[in-house]
Amino acid sequence: MLEVKQSQYGRGIFATRDIKKDELLEVSPVIVFPKEEYKNLKKTTLIAYVFWWGENYDDCALALGIGSLFNHSSTPNAIFKRKIKKGTIKFYAYTDIKAGEEIRINYNGEPDDKTPLWFEGE
């Protein structure tokens, strides 16, 4: 249903078939980096691939599988839900997605959150 390939934003996740709204796309286990490690983590390339994590979102988590490869959009076609106690992130279709379409999430968490990010672009 999903494949990793080159997009205009680097690597991205693409639908290999039509996907219906609310369909589960991916369940990614995570590796959690406690807040005490953030100062070291932000000096690495990994920082661009982590999700804020924990009860207060002061830890970071790297999603394994393809979870950390979803690109950002301020008008996403997918959403993610952190499952803190289970140590996973679940990704769902937020809209119907056509085969061949890139699947993108809003890095701010909420699909309609337009808060500026740390990089320029859509």
Side-chain angles (χ1 to χ4, degrees):
M1 154 174 43
L2 305 177
E3 69 178 336
V4 178
K5 63 183 193 177
Q6 203 61 30
S7 83
Q8 68 183 34
Y9 307 102
R11 285 183 295 183
I13 307 301
F14 291 80
T16 60
R17 65 166 173 80
D18 290 350
I19 298 169
K20 294 288 186 194
K21 179 181 178 175
D22 298 323
E23 192 171 336
L24 179 65
L25 303 172
E26 166 77 359
V27 179
S28 296
V30 301
I31 296 173
V32 177
F33 299 93
K35 62 184 172 186
E36 297 80 21
E37 295 180 14
Y38 178 76
K39 67 180 177 189
N40 295 321
L41 186 62
K42 72 180 184 178
K43 297 176 186 175
T44 73
T45 303
L46 285 178
I47 197 64
Y49 297 92
V50 298
F51 292 81
W52 291 110
W53 199 257
E55 296 301 323
N56 298 314
Y57 298 119
D58 51 3
D59 298 327
C60 296
L62 179 67
L64 301 177
I66 61 172
S68 282
L69 297 178
F70 288 96
N71 285 316
H72 168 76
S73 175
S74 58
T75 56
N77 55 9
I79 59 171
F80 62 93
K81 295 182 181 180
R82 298 169 185 91
K83 301 297 179 181
I84 304 295
K85 291 180 182 176
K86 290 187 176 186
T88 61
I89 300 176
K90 290 186 173 186
F91 298 86
Y92 296 90
Y94 185 62
T95 63
D96 288 342
I97 301 169
K98 296 287 185 194
E101 188 177 345
E102 184 172 5
I103 302 171
R104 297 169 63 198
I105 60 175
N106 186 326
Y107 287 177
N108 289 320
E110 295 299 321
D112 56 354
D113 186 336
K114 306 294 186 209
T115 304
L117 295 171
W118 63 95
F119 61 88
E120 288 189 31
E122 207 273 309

